[in-house]
Amino acid sequence: MIRPMHWFGSIAAIGLVGASSGAFVAELARAQEAPESLLPPGFDDPAPTPSPTPSAVPDPAPTVAPPATTPGTAPPEAPSASPALPSTPGALPAVPQISDEELAGVPSIEELEALSTDQLDDLLGLKPEFDIPPAARRSLGQVGLIAPSEGGFPIGSLANQPASLVRAALAGTKGEMVSRWGHILLRRALASRLAAPEGMNPVEFAALRTGVLNELGEFAAARAMVQDIDTGNWNAALTDEALQAYIASGDFVGICPAVRLNAGGERDDPQWAMLQAICNAYAGESVLAGSQLDRLLGEEVAPEIDVLLALRYAGAAGRGRRGVEIEWDGVETLSPWRFSLANAVGETVPDGLLDAAITGDQGRYYTQAGAAAAMLPLSARADLASQASRDGVFSARAMVDLYSSIYADQGSDPAVAGRAELLRQAYIGLRPATRLNAMQQLWDREEGADQRFAAYILTAYAAARISPSADLSAEANELITSMLTAGLDRDATAWRNVVEPGSLAWAQVALVRAEAANAPRETIEDFIASAGSGQQRKAAFLIAGLGALERIGRSDFDDLASDLELGLSRETRWTQMITRAADVNNPALVVLLAGLGMQGDSWRQMTPLHLFHVVRALNQVGLSAEARLIAAEAVARG
């Protein structure tokens, strides 16, 4: 917790004066209440005054009669003897000698003045392990964001599962999902409020889930996950994942409680050192923060561009403003630190540097982090948001909201503003033909299947406003594909009597309709024939999806699967685990295993075997809607 400066201003008084003055005030208060001597017997008597002359003889002491006693009672105890006084009046105990080695570790006055609040706390042993009072600390019995009443999975879903299995499923999920709906479902499971498996530390469980959310590009959800755990409970793994989530979200101040408490243990990496300076600046210690960053810059602890961006960010706090000129000359690569800090301080990243980062190995990171960066220009976010929507990070509603803002922004890029105008026509056009024409222009503007799929997401709710009509059967393929990107299965099913049998629209409706009905074998064979040699993957996914949903006769399924050589009877360790999880009716474990089996950056990496087991297991544990949407998406994008 970052304490205000008035606390630091009084620490010297508390540390130097409080020990004596506080005790004095306490003793004075007790003396007023009960005026009794607080010294041992004999210490409160005045010292005997020396006789003026040695020959003087003192008067004999008066005889004091012993107190009377009552028969049958013991006489009072004699008073204890007074302790011996020092032989020499005013003598003090010997002062212990301090060695030169001990003195060498004591900081000077100048060094004390240069210490930050946290450093002074460390020196005096005052830094708390927790930044939250005991009564306000949260339990680790269940950690997550979405309660069961809000759509999350049951709290005890994984509590009785083997910790090794859950750990392997989460640790093995290291990349994006081929399925947009698979991504959305996995995100819901990871963000659910869950109890840790038996034998697994709840903090480790949270760190594993946060790591998968970061891999999926769900940085906002990852940040919210770590915020559900008191900072004092963080371990090194959770701190690492939290740092990635906060940086990707552009929230450098949000990580300060962990930085100032050294959550997860001591760290000495350059990024942590720069964060310590930033946090000092926003704690009111701007001069100290500036000196720390200047030292990092002078000692070349971190690349110059990294420290300069940190200086610009720290300089915005309090009265520590200083001019910092950012020079990108000589910077050859972009990093998450540079990208996020540049966005946070309003520094434009050179186009060549950003393009190289987006097309590189870490391209997904920059598109997903940039799509959610509200400080970027709307036009710059548009293309990044298209990728984020294909992955499942952005919903159809979020895309419409973004383009609505672009339409209202007079300074938007003309090309992006043109898309916003077409989207407006797709929604508010007076005639269906006008709205459909606008949607087709948006679809045709995109090159490549993935870009076109992003355009389908953008027009999902506009497509649902087109009434089913036999005159539009030719456009039904794209209209239904667009509707299903937003999960509008009822609107898509309304076209079941309009779509052409054996078409792509028919195949999607056959998979996604809520009521179970077997698909005729003849129509399936028509779809296989129309798919052609270049689209056999779509046909394979259709057979696998229909078989998993039990919407095809058993004999027909076996014959067609054999003709297409799908190999659905093959067993692997993964197929056995997800089948077992479905048999015991554990939806959360099924989703984690389904995510493990749907990793990839293209549907070319998805096999009919994996699709069959994912859809069948999800359907078996009650996640029928998600199973049907994943199957329909596979046919549309296969």
Side-chain angles (χ1 to χ4, degrees), residues 171-531:
T173 307
K174 300 178 180 179
E176 60 184 304
M177 302 288 107
V178 299
S179 168
R180 181 172 184 270
W181 281 108
H183 173 111
I184 294 171
L185 180 59
L186 180 60
R187 175 182 62 199
R188 179 156 67 96
L190 294 170
S192 293
R193 193 168 298 162
L194 299 173
E198 184 177 357
M200 181 184 290
N201 187 294
V203 178
E204 179 195 359
F205 184 46
L208 289 170
R209 291 156 63 193
T210 305
V212 178
L213 288 170
N214 279 330
E215 291 292 337
L216 295 176
E218 295 288 351
F219 304 116
R223 182 182 61 171
M225 175 71 73
V226 299
Q227 287 174 339
D228 196 47
I229 302 175
D230 294 342
T231 310
N233 288 322
W234 289 14
N235 60 11
L238 186 61
T239 302
D240 290 340
E241 298 298 342
L243 190 60
Q244 181 179 348
Y246 275 100
I247 291 176
S249 303
D251 186 6
F252 292 88
V253 178
I255 192 67
C256 283
V259 173
R260 295 176 75 85
L261 280 178
N262 288 322
E266 296 288 342
R267 298 172 58 130
D268 57 359
D269 55 280
Q271 197 172 80
W272 193 259
M274 289 185 286
L275 280 172
Q276 287 177 322
I278 289 174
C279 294
N280 285 334
Y282 283 88
E285 301 170 358
S286 303
V287 176
L288 173 63
S291 65
Q292 289 175 322
L293 290 171
D294 288 339
R295 180 181 58 81
L296 295 175
L297 186 62
E299 296 177 359
E300 298 182 352
V301 174
E304 181 181 14
I305 184 64
D306 294 353
V307 183
L308 290 177
L309 288 169
L311 272 169
R312 172 80 69 84
Y313 191 92
R319 299 181 179 180
R321 294 180 176 87
R322 55 186 290 185
V324 179
E325 185 176 354
I326 305 297
E327 292 289 347
W328 292 96
D329 295 340
V331 179
E332 299 179 354
T333 59
L334 197 62
S335 68
W337 176 269
R338 297 167 191 172
F339 180 65
S340 187
L341 262 183
N343 293 338
V345 301
E347 180 69 25
T348 302
V349 178
D351 291 339
L353 203 60
L354 182 58
D355 292 342
I358 292 176
T359 57
D361 295 337
Q362 300 296 321
R364 285 184 61 254
Y365 172 87
Y366 295 103
T367 56
Q368 292 167 345
M375 66 285 292
L376 287 180
L378 293 171
S379 298
R381 292 177 58 195
D383 291 336
L384 302 178
S386 295
Q387 170 69 47
S389 67
R390 293 196 298 270
D391 293 337
V393 178
F394 266 39
S395 66
R397 291 185 182 275
M399 291 297 293
V400 172
D401 289 343
L402 176 62
Y403 273 89
S404 297
S405 300
I406 291 173
Y407 177 80
D409 182 14
Q410 300 298 326
S412 297
D413 178 82
V416 180
R419 290 204 296 268
E421 174 61 32
L422 284 174
L423 183 63
R424 181 173 182 270
Q425 289 298 322
Y427 277 93
I428 69 168
L430 297 179
R431 296 184 301 169
T434 303
R435 301 198 299 271
L436 183 59
N437 179 62
M439 283 186 275
Q440 287 176 328
Q441 289 188 60
L442 285 170
W443 300 335
D444 294 340
R445 282 190 173 199
E446 304 298 338
E447 298 180 0
D450 287 341
Q451 290 75 12
R452 196 177 185 89
F453 186 73
Y456 291 145
I457 299 171
L458 188 61
T459 60
Y461 292 98
R465 300 181 68 239
I466 302 293
S467 300
S469 172
D471 297 335
L472 300 177
S473 59
E475 289 78 18
N477 290 342
E478 292 181 305
L479 286 171
I480 289 176
T481 299
S482 182
M483 294 179 215
L484 294 181
T485 61
L488 305 175
D489 54 339
R490 293 183 180 179
D491 297 280
T493 304
W495 288 73
R496 62 183 179 275
N497 297 324
V498 175
V499 297
E500 180 180 351
S503 64
L504 177 61
W506 169 85
Q508 293 185 83
V509 170
L511 289 168
V512 81
R513 59 189 299 182
E515 62 276 9
N518 283 352
R521 178 168 180 169
E522 297 78 9
T523 310
I524 297 174
E525 291 174 338
D526 290 342
F527 177 83
I528 296 173
S530 63

Side-chain angles (χ1 to χ4, degrees), residues 92-114:
L92 297 175
V95 178
Q97 298 296 319
I98 302 177
S99 65
D100 293 339
E101 296 179 357
E102 293 174 325
L103 285 174
V106 178
S108 64
I109 298 298
E110 292 77 11
E111 291 173 333
L112 284 173
E113 292 177 347

